[in-house]
Amino acid sequence: MHFRPLLGCLMALSLSLVPVAAFAQDVTMTGSPLPDQPYTLIHPKAMTVIGEPGGPVTINHPDAPLQCVLTVVAVEDTAWTAEAALAALDDAAVSQGWAETFPGFALSNKSTTAYQSNTALLYEGTSTDSPQGVPLTVVHTETVDAGNGYSLDCFFATEMAEQVRPLVDFIIANFSTRQDAQPVTTLQ
């Protein structure tokens, strides 16, 4: 399974360079109302949620330059695994795909990671520029479960990585392909 970078998410991406203070926050859960596309997206309560059932769901943080986009699509390759996807990942193609939207994008890390419900492919990279005029970091995760492909992409200003990355890690670690998940890690 290969998810192409979500070019449309750029239009919704409105990152500001607001200084980020403390991130100790309450959390909330956004879940799918569709039984054939189950998920639970656990995120800071302050983040706004935009999306419709069956379409991409976007969460934006009002006090940090952070946006995450969740996409769920039906897939035929139900034998897909994160480990096999990692082994087959074409670094040049991934970098080229993201560079079309984020100039100078270069892949910097690739591995597997744990969602709450299963294992996901993870890769990340940074751009030298963006339509927002600042370098951005992209953290992409994806998995397949019960006939669905799940892609969770988080975007943030690279210069804010130290402050924002803990939020991204929290969102990824708590994501579940089930509708009834509860937080498994805390947000500090």
Side-chain angles (χ1 to χ4, degrees):
M1 176 184 83
H2 294 285
F3 285 107
R4 294 186 180 242
L6 297 172
L7 300 178
C9 70
L10 178 63
M11 302 319 265
L13 185 64
S14 57
L15 298 175
S16 64
L17 296 177
V18 175
V20 181
F23 279 121
Q25 308 174 32
D26 291 331
V27 299
T28 192
M29 295 174 282
T30 300
S32 171
L34 305 174
D36 62 335
Q37 292 184 346
Y39 67 81
T40 303
L41 183 59
I42 300 170
H43 52 86
K45 196 174 210 171
M47 294 184 85
T48 59
V49 180
I50 302 166
E52 297 178 11
V57 174
T58 302
I59 56 174
N60 291 296
H61 201 291
D63 300 321
L66 170 63
Q67 178 181 71
C68 296
V69 178
L70 171 65
T71 304
V72 182
V73 296
V75 296
E76 293 181 18
D77 184 4
T78 57
W80 182 96
T81 67
E83 294 79 10
L86 176 61
L89 192 66
D90 182 339
D91 296 10
V94 168
S95 293
Q96 182 180 359
W98 284 106
E100 292 174 11
T101 305
F102 302 113
F105 181 88
L107 198 61
S108 61
N109 182 36
K110 58 183 181 176
S111 62
T112 60
T113 191
Y115 280 161
Q116 190 179 139
S117 55
N118 49 353
T119 303
L121 169 68
L122 178 143
Y123 65 75
E124 63 186 278
T126 57
S127 68
T128 56
D129 197 6
S130 72
Q132 289 73 31
V134 298
L136 292 181
T137 297
V138 175
V139 178
H140 170 89
T141 61
E142 64 184 70
T143 196
V144 171
D145 189 21
N148 288 313
Y150 295 84
S151 173
L152 180 59
D153 295 308
C154 293
F155 309 90
F156 54 90
T158 302
E159 71 179 26
M160 300 299 292
E162 186 176 324
Q163 294 87 1
V164 175
R165 186 57 191 255
L167 287 175
V168 172
D169 293 342
F170 172 84
I171 292 166
I172 291 169
N174 282 286
F175 179 73
S176 176
T177 60
R178 308 281 185 262
Q179 286 178 316
D180 58 354
Q182 297 295 316
V184 293
T185 64
T186 58
L187 182 59
Q188 300 185 25

